[in-house]
Amino acid sequence: MCGIIGYTGTASAVDVLIEGLATLEYRGYDSAGVAVVTGNGDPRVRVVKRAGKLANLREMLEGTWLDGTTGVGHTRWATHGEPSDRNSHPHQDADGDLAIIHNGIFENFAELRAGLAADGHEFASDTDTEVIAHLIGRSYDDAGVGGDGADGAVALAGAVRTALRRVEGAFAIAVVDRRSPDTIVASRREAPLVLGHLDGASLLSSDVAGLIRYTRDVEALLDDQVAILTPEGITVTDLDGNTTEGHRYTVDWDIDVAEKQGYPHFMLKEIHEQPGALHETLLGRTRDGRIVLDEQRLDDDDFRHLDKVYVVACGTSYHAGMVAKYALEHWARVPVEVEIASEFRYRDPILTQHTLVVAISQSGETADTLAAAAHARAQRARVVAISNVVGSSLAREADAVLYTRAGPEIAVASTKAFTTQILALELLALFLAQLRRAMFPDEWRDQLRRMETLPDLMEQVFGQETAIRQLAASVAHASYVMFIGRQVGLPIALEGALKLKEISYLHAEGFPAGEMKHGPIALIEQGGPVVALATAGHVRGKIVSNIAEVKARGAMVVAIATEGDTEIKAHADHVIYVPDVHELLYPMLTVVPLQLLAYFIATELGCDVDQPRNLAKTVTVE
Ligand code: F6R
């Protein structure tokens, strides 16, 4: 969702903010804005904001002199109020003394707005954020402790705490105020906010990527903590004003990982980073002859005695969960249900202390997945998190964590997070199989060895990139694309369709191949493209029959098949080959041509690949 950034130090705030917003723009790009405290003798908070992408704000700033060394910046994914200049952040209080940026939703804003309006407050936008700006402003005035410098900072932090005690919902906010010109006050509840410590300056950001240019010494703020940032350092309190601290750690990756490095788009770069990401995710997974998780706050017996696994996730992560079901059931011999996180807690699932809930989230901040995990824990179920972000909310709240080590994923369309999630989930399946004695040691060791070959095998798939690009040019102007698969091919068919629709806006759907004749086959038109997952395995013969059914009705079939399968050419118009692997490992290879196909179709159609319309990375609202 929205990206927020804040800086207080000695450099030009606006330069730092714009650079940070460029890194955070993947989180939302409906509008962008900054607020900077300007003027030494008589400080003022100046706000510059513009609907549309960051480029529009940059253009506006070119003719604007914004000196000042303290400020906040925002890039928006609209929730309340259409994307427009007036709904853009930052928002100000009634007197224009302070400005606030916000990621999340204040759920009781309508009630608060009505109360303030009854007292004569007028609002310039439709947003929930502006209501909180007014509420903080009023709390400040009511406390009657105005003043400059340190006193101003104390008063601002007090006003923020008072206001936040009245709000419901999920948020990360940052506030600047002319009465405390070198201070930012920030807080969060169920939305990410990371603080950056460095000499002579302090920073905040929605994620580490916004800070890493300046510091590796970061601190994740926890729910209902309030941070007071000045150039001299950061103090953290709870909502009652008692001193406390967040989760402080050192970042171990470099800024160049979060840059394009010569690729035209982050998505293509991240597709190509997958072999390396798989390799990293596999490193050091055994200790003393045992598979290990990254963090485990559970006893081995908790895993031994579980009788049911729920996998919960959203979007692409949900598709990784679908693949995991096959591995968990086959290797660990435990029944598994895979569920969309936003549905899970609303249907009263049966959860006990013997239930394991595996929550998958690249960002570790997706609101629905966090809520599903919290619901599971409240019912005494155990939660294992699969996340790509060390110290993310999901990782902190889970009983055990297995990290994907994909590095920062910037493109909105998830690629390297997906393949590393599958790998991590399959490692979890082997871990459970080992503890539950569902596999012999040489069996799980064999599987680990096979996994270690995946990075090299995946490199071979890139050998067909030119052919996939040519295929994309011929498919790009179709009115739809269908994807069909069976067994582990089904989640990949769904993922191939999701990837294509989200970045190219082409109508794409994935179907279980056996279901086609129960309805969807009616959609097939002469020459209509159907991509079929047809790799070797016990369902290959079945999928070939399904290919014949769509072919007989005029489909143009693209088969993803196993190298050496020349027979498939008799059934398909185009074949893309992947190397031969164990059946459960295929998804990590077969998805790569589909990611490339989606990418090349989107570029052929001139779409904004890294920032598709209506979307944002990290969905921190329900
Ligand atoms: C699609 C995509 C989304 C995410 C989903 C969950 O390419 O990226 O569908 O997979 O929003 O995000 P995380 O994994 O961060 O919880």
Side-chain angles (χ1 to χ4, degrees):
M1 300 286 97
C2 309
I4 72 177
I5 182 101
Y7 171 82
T8 177
T10 50
S12 157
V14 73
D15 292 347
V16 178
L17 298 177
I18 293 296
E19 199 170 45
L21 289 180
T23 309
L24 295 176
E25 202 181 11
Y26 72 91
R27 299 178 70 87
Y29 28 85
D30 289 334
S31 67
V34 292
V36 175
V37 187
T38 63
N40 284 334
D42 180 20
R44 292 268 168 271
V45 174
R46 289 196 55 199
V47 172
V48 182
K49 55 190 188 178
R50 206 16 118 63
K53 292 200 166 190
L54 182 61
N56 296 359
L57 176 69
R58 279 186 202 271
E59 200 179 297
M60 201 168 176
L61 283 169
E62 262 162 33
T64 314
W65 175 241
L66 258 193
D67 62 334
T69 55
T70 298
V72 292
H74 187 267
T75 179
R76 179 171 188 241
W77 187 82
T79 55
H80 291 75
E82 51 160 19
S84 63
D85 287 349
R86 70 190 192 92
N87 286 333
S88 308
H89 297 213
H91 290 284
Q92 293 194 264
D93 67 331
D95 303 325
D97 289 327
L98 62 85
I100 179 173
I101 51 171
H102 165 218
N103 167 28
I105 293 177
F106 292 113
E107 283 169 1
N108 59 338
F109 88 101
E111 176 195 322
L112 294 169
R113 184 179 169 122
L116 288 162
D119 292 343
H121 283 250
E122 286 175 13
F123 296 94
S125 78
D126 309 318
T127 64
D128 50 344
T129 310
E130 192 189 6
V131 176
I132 306 309
H134 282 236
L135 194 63
I136 296 172
R138 194 160 92 178
S139 303
Y140 196 117
D141 296 341
D142 287 352
V145 280
D148 297 327
D151 286 350
V154 170
L156 180 62
V160 168
R161 284 189 210 103
T162 306
L164 290 184
R165 279 197 286 269
R166 293 188 57 194
V167 304
E168 289 162 18
F171 58 82
I173 58 162
V175 188
V176 287
D177 188 306
R178 68 172 188 82
R179 294 158 290 192
S180 45
D182 62 356
T183 304
I184 305 172
V185 175
S187 185
R188 64 152 261 167
R189 186 183 298 161
E190 293 170 26
L193 189 61
V194 196
L195 311 171
H197 294 265
L198 63 159
D199 280 346
S202 299
L203 287 146
L204 64 86
S205 170
S206 294
D207 75 21
V208 169
L211 306 176
I212 187 73
R213 256 184 214 88
Y214 306 98
T215 182
R216 289 163 180 279
D217 180 3
V218 303
E219 181 173 355
L221 204 62
L222 308 181
D223 278 351
D224 286 325
Q225 291 185 330
V226 175
I228 300 135
L229 293 82
T230 68
E232 289 76 44
I234 302 175
T235 49
V236 177
T237 73
D238 61 19
L239 271 193
D240 295 323
N242 304 309
T243 305
T244 178
E245 53 193 34
H247 169 68
R248 196 158 171 175
Y249 62 98
T250 305
V251 182
D252 62 1
W253 47 268
D254 289 319
I255 183 62
D256 59 350
V257 182
E259 287 174 351
K260 283 191 200 149
Q261 296 170 341
Y263 284 92
H265 297 99
F266 279 111
M267 184 179 175
L268 188 61
K269 172 183 169 245
E270 289 163 6
I271 290 172
H272 278 270
E273 281 173 346
Q274 291 179 105
L278 291 178
H279 175 73
E280 289 287 324
T281 300
L282 275 168
L283 283 179
R285 289 302 181 191
T286 53
R287 203 175 307 135
D288 303 329
R290 286 189 44 179
I291 297 176
V292 286
L293 306 180
D294 290 300
E295 291 167 24
Q296 188 180 329
R297 298 175 271 273
L298 289 177
D299 293 336
D300 286 352
D301 276 347
D302 292 321
F303 290 111
R304 280 193 194 104
H305 297 136
L306 50 98
D307 53 21
K308 172 97 193 225
V309 175
Y310 282 104
V311 181
V312 292
C314 305
T316 288
S317 298
Y318 170 75
H319 296 152
M322 287 178 73
V323 176
K325 176 181 168 78
Y326 295 94
L328 285 161
E329 290 190 339
H330 185 64
W331 287 337
R333 306 305 296 157
V334 57
V336 179
E337 271 185 55
V338 190
E339 191 144 350
I340 293 283
S342 53
E343 294 292 325
F344 182 67
R345 74 197 151 115
Y346 294 112
R347 68 165 182 84
D348 195 16
I350 298 163
L351 299 162
T352 71
Q353 59 184 345
H354 300 303
T355 314
L356 180 70
V357 171
V358 180
I360 315 165
S361 173
Q362 184 281 128
S363 58
E365 304 293 347
T366 297
D368 286 317
T369 311
L370 285 175
H375 179 75
R377 288 197 75 198
Q379 310 280 317
R380 295 188 308 145
R382 318 296 180 163
V383 176
V384 173
I386 306 288
S387 178
N388 194 35
V389 180
V390 175
S392 60
S393 299
L394 184 65
R396 285 199 308 272
E397 277 159 33
D399 298 301
V401 188
L402 191 52
Y403 286 113
T404 50
R405 302 188 193 128
E409 193 180 62
I410 308 292
V412 165
S414 186
T415 53
K416 60 179 181 171
F418 178 67
T419 41
T420 53
Q421 280 167 347
I422 296 174
L423 187 59
L425 287 158
E426 295 200 346
L427 285 166
L428 178 69
L430 294 182
F431 167 83
L432 292 177
Q434 183 183 42
L435 282 181
R436 295 162 61 82
R437 297 186 192 283
M439 278 172 115
F440 291 111
D442 49 345
E443 281 180 298
W444 64 257
R445 277 195 209 101
D446 276 353
Q447 287 303 344
L448 268 184
R449 270 193 287 275
R450 289 191 183 107
M451 288 172 176
E452 278 158 13
T453 66
L454 281 169
D456 287 344
L457 298 178
M458 190 186 269
E459 289 289 0
Q460 294 173 29
V461 179
F462 291 117
Q464 291 168 90
E465 194 164 323
T466 309
I468 296 170
R469 186 200 299 248
Q470 285 160 358
L471 177 64
S474 67
V475 173
H477 300 282
S479 53
Y480 67 83
V481 181
M482 283 190 198
F483 294 77
I484 59 172
R486 303 181 81 118
Q487 211 240 1
V488 287
L490 172 58
I492 301 308
L494 301 181
E495 175 61 9
L498 175 62
K499 222 72 311 166
L500 182 55
K501 75 180 91 166
E502 72 177 319
I503 61 168
S504 74
Y505 322 136
L506 192 57
H507 190 110
E509 292 300 333
F511 298 103
E515 277 292 293
M516 289 298 283
K517 54 184 155 307
H518 300 288
I521 204 164
L523 296 169
I524 302 277
E525 290 166 358
Q526 194 61 37
V530 175
V531 180
L533 280 299
T535 44
H538 69 286
V539 292
R540 187 220 172 250
K542 302 284 173 206
I543 190 97
V544 168
S545 307
N546 301 135
I547 290 175
E549 289 157 11
V550 294
K551 192 95 188 90
R553 285 154 183 89
M556 190 276 275
V557 174
V558 178
I560 312 295
T562 304
E563 249 162 36
D565 182 354
T566 46
E567 198 265 343
I568 197 84
K569 289 186 180 163
H571 308 282
D573 301 275
H574 300 270
V575 183
I576 300 167
Y577 285 112
V578 297
D580 189 8
V581 283
H582 183 277
E583 242 178 297
L584 290 174
L585 303 186
Y586 269 120
M588 287 172 270
L589 299 184
T590 53
V591 77
V592 175
L594 305 194
Q595 295 167 341
L596 287 168
L597 188 66
Y599 172 79
F600 288 124
I601 290 176
T603 49
E604 175 76 20
L605 295 174
C607 299
D608 189 345
V609 173
D610 284 338
Q611 295 178 344
R613 73 181 178 208
N614 304 340
L615 291 175
K617 194 112 182 140
T618 314
V619 185
T620 52
V621 291
E622 269 195 60

